[in-house]
Structure formats: structure tokens, C-alpha cells
Amino acid sequence: MMELSQVLRALNAANNTEVMETLQQQWDVSTQTEPTNWDLLDSQCWRENREWSGCEERCDAALAEAVTLIKSRPELHLLAWHCHRLIFDVDDFDISKLSALIPILDNIKPDFNAVFFLWLTMGTVSRLRRRNKERGIPDDITKATLWDIAIAQRRYARYNDNKIGMPQRLLNWHRLVSKGDLHRVGRFEYIVRPFRGRLRAFRNRQTDDVMALSLPQIQYDEDGYFPLPSNDPDWISSAEITESTFIGHPISPRGFARSETVEISRDAWEEVLSPDDAVLEIHIPEGEPLSEEDCKESFEKAIPFFTKFYPEAKVRSFVCYSWLFNTQFETLFAPTSNIVGWQREVYEFPMPSTGNDGLYFVFGQDTIDPSTAPRDSKIRRAIVEHLVTGKTLRSGGMFFLFNDLEKYGTQCYRVMEKNWNLHNVFTEQHTG
């Protein structure tokens, strides 16, 4: 068995304290369990995994070269096994720490880190296939879910001169995929999780209208969004629950909090979404357009799928938190944009933002210089023209209740908002 210090010396990283601290976790377990015949190093195994993941066939040459290198160097074999265990078997390991390995791996061979991480990601495939098969989940769902790997591989190539690889930052996501609770059903991926929105939603028992109220002590800017971390709030929400009423600040389905308060009767309004309720959290894979038909079809298929395989969850709402629910897009993009169309069909609400939200997905990096950033697509051009004026970007959230699925395509929550005044529930303007 090789000591960690021996491995680091062999990799010319003996004095790298950060790497030493990163790899110490469960190192002894890895040395004791290191396999002599590791299936992920078998060409039949990793090729089959590559095919199931949907990655390009041209990846095979780079993966084969990486496997040959790993098999030929005992210290690299042990390091690879340890990284594999840290990703897939050690849930409390912070995968972001593996970024410390990038310069060490690239000293072995230029750009080796990206191929190494792509090869490690192939371990997701066999794990998900096995877990889904045990539960009776169809292969087409498994393959669709594994397509995330292909998306990441192609995105890496797009932003890195068509090279083969996988960014280290995405390993944490593929760990999640390997657990077997995230499933792609149609256009979207879903996972049962507790609701994280800072609101409670209510439905009028007579009219079916829906209204969301902010939780108390939430900071908002003057437009009803969460202020950026560097900015002070303009007002703070209040809320009160009595035996007969709920009092609070309404959240517009257009994605912002309103400064006036409302008082709604418990007899007239039923609470339908609360913090920590089990919801179907949506993740939006890159690729196909967000057409109204595909979005609705995915919703329609997801409900029976999760009812069958997760009956204990008793979910009744779809929820998503994403840069795609930036309400600025309603003015930045054309009214016919699929993104704008989807926003109008769901109940949007504010979420924390950094100011650079979405740049990684649109430009391949977390920050850009608006004066030099490419404007070679409609979405890039709109975002750059927005940023060049000194403005920032934000994220948002949405929910859509299962019971409203028949209304999908009618902008039902925005129609409901127009009815709020008819309920005579607004009580006062917020004064801060």
C-alpha cells in the first residue's frame, strides 16, 4: 500500500499542502480497497458507459489514452481510485476541492485533467443503470438522464477549442445523478426535494385563484427583488398568522414582491405550498427549445412517473430556481421567445442573485467583459447590450401546481392576479 506522501512525491506534488489536505479524507480506506481489476479501466466497460452517456464517439481515443496512462502508473491508479471513491462513495466530501488536482494532472500531460474527470464521470453510468434497473425504471428514462454527461462533454468542447473533457466543477452534479433520484422525463429533469422558496401559496376555495405571500423578514429592493449581496434592502417584509387570517406581502406571479400587504381569510383560502413541502424540483437540460408543447408534455408525464416511483413523497407542485426566470428577459427578449413564453405560464418569485446569473450557461464563463464578449446569438446579444449599460443580471424561481395543469397555456396565474383586487384583500401600503 502506498502512503499519500509517496503518491504526491511520484506526482511531483510533495510540497502541495492543499492537495495533501484534500486527499487525506478516507485515504486509508482507498488504499485498502484499491481493486486489481477495476471495471472502469476495462475498455468494454468504459466504452459501453460512453455509449450510454451519449458522449461523442471521438472521446474514445482520449479515454483509451487516459486509461493506458492510469494503468501504467501505480500512483496514478491509486489516485484515480481514491478520487472515484470520494466522488461516488463519500457523501460528505467537498468535490470542489478536487480543483487542486488540476495543475498536477496537467503536469502529467497537457489538458489531462479534463479527460481524467470525463473518465471518472463514466462511473455515473453503471451506477445509475444498476439502481434504475433494480427499481424497474425504464431504460429510456435512464439514457435520457445520462444525456447530462453528453451535454457537459459537448459544452466543454464548444468552449475549449473542440477538446475532449469534462470540467471539474460538474463532478458534483454527476454525483447527484449517480444517486438515482434525478430523472429526465421529456424536456425536463426532476428530483423530489423540500421547497426552498421564501413564500407560502394559497388557493381561493371558491374561485381557484392562487396567491403567494412572502415569508417575514425577507429583504427586498425597491422593485420587489432580493438585493444583490453588496446592496442594502429598501424594505423588509412582514407577515402574521392568526386564528382566522394570513397577513403578508403578495408575490406577483410576474416574479416580484409587492409592497402593500393583504389579509386573507383561512376560511376562504387554503394553503397549498409551504416551506419544506416536498416538491418536484425541475432542472433544465441544455439543448431543445422550451416550447409550450414540450414543457406541458413533460409535466404531464412527470406526474404519473413520480406518483409511481415516489408515492411516499406526495408531491403536488413543480418548482424551479434558475437564471432562466430572470424577469428582465421579458423586456430583453422578443415576446415570441420560448423563454418568455414559459415565464408567463408559471408563477414566478424572487430568489437570491449574484449579478452574473446565467453567464456560465450562455458564455461558458462566470464573468465577461461586455465590451469584448461575443454577440453571435440573440440571447448573447441581448445580455451583452444589457450589461454594457452597467446593469446586472438576476435569477428567479417558479412554481406550478399540479391541479392547474389543465390551464397550462393560458397564463393562468397572471390571469388570477388580475382578480386579486376583486377579493378585496389589500389592506395597506408598506412604509418600510
Side-chain angles (χ1 to χ4, degrees), residues 395-408:
S395 289
M398 77 80 161
F399 69 81
F400 193 94
L401 302 172
F402 288 2
N403 287 347
D404 294 320
L405 191 52
E406 290 185 357
K407 304 185 187 82
Y408 194 93

Side-chain angles (χ1 to χ4, degrees), residues 46-226:
W46 62 255
R47 286 179 192 274
E48 184 176 343
N49 287 355
R50 193 272 303 159
E51 291 170 359
W52 268 74
S53 74
C55 288
E56 297 172 292
E57 186 176 354
R58 69 188 185 95
C59 295
D60 286 356
L63 291 172
E65 186 178 8
V67 165
T68 300
L69 189 56
I70 292 168
K71 292 167 71 173
S72 68
R73 296 184 59 172
E75 73 280 2
L76 191 54
H77 186 284
L78 179 53
L79 175 66
W81 172 248
H82 185 53
C83 289
H84 182 271
R85 287 196 61 255
L86 291 175
I87 294 166
F88 295 112
D89 297 331
V90 185
D91 290 343
D92 64 345
F93 175 72
D94 181 359
I95 294 180
S96 67
K97 292 181 178 180
L98 291 181
S99 61
L101 293 179
I102 292 175
I104 296 171
L105 294 168
D106 286 352
N107 280 336
I108 296 173
K109 185 178 182 295
D111 298 318
F112 181 61
N113 86 87
V115 180
F116 180 79
F117 293 134
L118 177 63
W119 169 76
L120 281 175
T121 305
M122 292 298 127
T124 302
V125 178
S126 54
R127 287 169 177 261
L128 185 64
R129 288 180 64 187
R130 181 175 63 253
R131 287 170 177 166
N132 281 1
K133 184 176 182 179
E134 290 171 353
R135 300 177 63 187
I137 293 173
D139 282 351
D140 62 336
I141 296 291
T142 303
K143 282 192 173 183
T145 305
L146 288 168
W147 185 253
D148 259 349
I149 300 175
I151 291 172
Q153 178 260 308
R154 286 165 169 80
R155 183 191 298 138
Y156 182 85
R158 187 163 66 246
Y159 295 122
N160 292 276
D161 299 322
N162 210 34
K163 294 176 182 176
I164 300 297
M166 170 77 67
Q168 177 273 330
R169 66 187 290 169
L170 295 183
L171 291 176
N172 196 53
W173 177 255
H174 297 297
R175 168 198 269 176
L176 171 66
V177 173
S178 75
K179 300 297 181 183
D181 287 323
L182 179 93
H183 306 281
R184 181 164 184 176
V185 184
R187 180 63 185 86
F188 300 128
E189 297 165 336
Y190 303 89
I191 185 170
V192 178
R193 280 183 167 168
F195 179 51
R196 295 184 283 125
R198 300 174 190 182
L199 59 83
R200 304 159 76 102
F202 304 85
R203 187 186 295 279
N204 189 284
R205 300 178 192 274
Q206 291 187 332
T207 66
D208 251 7
D209 290 346
V210 175
M211 176 187 295
L213 301 184
S214 172
L215 295 182
Q217 297 302 305
I218 305 299
Q219 298 180 347
Y220 294 103
D221 64 20
E222 61 181 353
D223 296 317
Y225 300 102
F226 292 176

